[in-house]
Amino acid sequence: MELPASLRQGVEALLEGTPVSTLREAGKILSARYRAEVRDGRLHMAGDRAVKAYLAQRLPATYAAVRAAMAAVAEAKGDMEPRTILDVGAGPGTALWAASDTWPSIQQAVLLEASAPARAVGERLAQGLALRCEWHAGDATLSLPAMAPADLVTACYLLDELAAAALPELAERLWALTAGTLLVVEPGTPAGWRRILDLRSRLIAAGGHVLAPCPHEAPCPLAAPDWCHFSRRVARSRLHRLAKEAEVPWEDEKFAYVAVSRHPADRRAARILAPPRTG
């Protein structure tokens, strides 16, 4: 999967003139924070260099994962035509771009992001989209600003930055803001899957209907050391390869997700969770 042409061009324009060495150095720090799930009160994308490193190294993979999850939602809910989207922890608008590519019906977006540099970049990139965008400063762990419920609510690669104690209240807030469907995407790690499982059970208890990836609302049949995750192959641009000092022209992004709706799915295909046992 590749980025939409207008998004790729916007990223290239923003990174023009930035030394590759700067992207590499900042990228290593950013990747280390993501992998270690550092929660020290600082934002992963607190400064300009971190945001640029994200654009060069993480944006393509994050976009691909979120876009794949949205494709599954669109398949489960064929009549879904959201007109409004609320993205909590929006970063530079990655999920917005994936959503607008999945559902051209979207006309208005509200994006909440705590990092000022990420918001600034997101506003500039969003000029390439034919819809109305409102950006707000806000921390998902604190009281969210007054916002109207949206047809589609997204929170992507957000929970891994939050303390576990913040999840119950955040889940309640997100669901209250969901008029149609809530999509949450996390890294495809055992820890990411456990966060998704926790959120899934809370939303089902609140009356939600799972659209994807589960074909049911029953308890998950997987047990450790197995975990539910998916993989999406991402094409690396020349800049992407240089920034990551990579030789292979692609990478695989592993992710976990759940999509829960106020309304039942139209269809949910059965899934094979493990190789069949014989003999």
Side-chain angles (χ1 to χ4, degrees), residues 47 144 148 173 176 206 218 220 268:
L144 299 179
R173 292 175 187 162
C220 179
R268 296 187 293 191

Side-chain angles (χ1 to χ4, degrees), residues 71-82 102-103 211 264-267:
V73 174
E75 183 176 352
K77 196 73 175 162
D79 62 349
M80 183 172 166
E81 292 187 346
T102 308
W103 294 287
L211 297 184
D266 299 328
R267 52 188 178 276

Side-chain angles (χ1 to χ4, degrees), residues 8-28:
R8 185 181 69 252
Q9 292 164 4
V11 168
E12 290 173 350
L14 283 166
L15 296 179
E16 186 176 1
T18 303
V20 172
S21 59
T22 298
L23 297 176
R24 286 176 181 168
E25 180 183 351
K28 289 177 181 177

Side-chain angles (χ1 to χ4, degrees), residues 91-130:
T94 310
L96 172 63
W97 281 88
S100 64
D101 189 54
T102 308
W103 294 287
S105 58
I106 294 177
Q107 300 175 353
Q108 182 175 359
V110 176
L111 302 100
L112 184 72
E113 172 54 42
S115 166
R119 288 197 309 274
V121 167
E123 289 186 76
R124 181 169 171 181
L125 290 174
Q127 293 174 5
L129 292 169

Side-chain angles (χ1 to χ4, degrees), residues 66 69-70 73 80-90 95-96 99 103 106 108-112 140 144 147-159 170-185 199 203 211 257-262:
V66 176
M70 289 179 173
V73 174
M80 183 172 166
E81 292 187 346
R83 297 186 182 279
T84 58
I85 178 175
L86 166 62
D87 189 13
V88 179
L96 172 63
W103 294 287
I106 294 177
Q108 182 175 359
V110 176
L111 302 100
L112 184 72
L144 299 179
M147 294 178 289
D151 298 331
L152 174 65
V153 177
T154 55
C156 302
Y157 292 77
L158 171 66
L159 303 186
L170 178 61
E172 184 177 339
R173 292 175 187 162
L174 292 175
W175 188 237
L177 289 167
T178 302
T181 299
L182 169 62
L183 171 65
V184 179
V185 183
L199 181 70
L203 295 175
L211 297 184
Y257 76 99
V258 67
V260 180
S261 176
R262 296 280 182 184

Side-chain angles (χ1 to χ4, degrees), residues 174-253:
L174 292 175
W175 188 237
L177 289 167
T178 302
T181 299
L182 169 62
L183 171 65
V184 179
V185 183
E186 284 288 288
T189 62
W193 173 60
R194 286 192 294 270
R195 288 190 292 269
I196 290 293
L197 271 185
D198 187 350
L199 181 70
R200 176 184 182 271
S201 62
R202 293 179 186 280
L203 295 175
I204 291 173
H209 302 274
V210 178
L211 297 184
C214 322
H216 57 78
E217 277 88 33
C220 179
L222 285 177
D226 291 331
W227 75 97
C228 179
H229 64 286
F230 303 85
S231 181
R232 193 70 170 176
R233 180 148 292 184
V234 183
R236 285 173 170 160
S237 66
R238 179 176 178 275
L239 177 61
H240 192 175
R241 293 198 303 273
L242 289 173
K244 298 196 78 169
E245 298 182 273
E247 296 182 1
V248 180
W250 50 264
E251 67 180 43
D252 292 325
E253 174 71 4

